[in-house]
Amino acid sequence: MKSFLFSPNARLRFERQWQSLRSLQRLSLISAGLVLAVTGCNREERPVATGSGSVKADDKPVSGIIISLQPLPPTTGPKATAPVFNGKFEFGEQANLHGGKYRVRFTALPSSLLSQVPPESSEGIIAPGQSIHPDYDVNSTETWELKPGEENTADFEVEFQ
């Protein structure tokens, strides 16, 4: 009895399937190479910059506001925000900030969130409905230069209206 695997038709089907599989493997390798080329597999990783500091109003620590950093050209990378409680803020590595110059803005937390601030974080909490003076928010000209690998600290003063 003849084996099905060795029949001329079966052998031809097997060879075609094998060629298709080899073509698929080549296509996969080419695709993987293109993905690596496009995503920049040898692209240099940018060092991350971190920063921390304080925020005061009338020389007293402030709570219940947000500090925002927006990169100024040619600085690249994301913008970042951090809450300010008991006059302190911190931008850790998770903010993924690149070194460079950033515009600094301050915004008050909405009243609905102010009521949820725990007592231990409420030193200097702003009054509900109180807002940051536009010179420290939308019209801010304050800048901060962050340098990777260095301890970046800054102390800011804000005014309310």
Side-chain angles (χ1 to χ4, degrees), residues 61-65 83-88 109 114 116-126:
V62 176
S63 284
I65 65 173
V84 178
F85 292 110
N86 298 329
K88 303 287 182 198
L109 282 173
L114 286 175
Q116 298 175 24
V117 174
E120 63 272 10
S121 298
S122 63
E123 179 185 354
I125 196 149
I126 64 173

Side-chain angles (χ1 to χ4, degrees), residues 53-75:
S54 67
V55 181
K56 294 181 179 181
D58 296 323
D59 285 328
K60 295 177 188 163
V62 176
S63 284
I65 65 173
I66 301 290
I67 180 172
S68 301
L69 300 181
Q70 299 169 331
L72 294 171
T75 301

Side-chain angles (χ1 to χ4, degrees), residues 30-44:
I30 291 170
S31 297
L34 286 173
V35 167
L36 289 175
V38 169
T39 60
C41 65
N42 60 359
R43 181 175 45 181
E44 179 182 319

Side-chain angles (χ1 to χ4, degrees), residues 45-113:
E45 282 292 315
R46 292 187 136 255
V48 175
T50 60
S52 62
S54 67
V55 181
K56 294 181 179 181
D58 296 323
D59 285 328
K60 295 177 188 163
V62 176
S63 284
I65 65 173
I66 301 290
I67 180 172
S68 301
L69 300 181
Q70 299 169 331
L72 294 171
T75 301
T76 61
K79 61 183 176 179
T81 60
V84 178
F85 292 110
N86 298 329
K88 303 287 182 198
F89 67 88
E90 183 173 351
F91 292 98
E93 289 185 4
Q94 74 280 2
N96 198 30
L97 294 170
H98 301 174
K101 201 171 191 179
Y102 290 83
R103 177 180 176 210
V104 181
R105 292 179 59 184
F106 299 92
T107 308
L109 282 173
S111 297
S112 59
L113 293 178

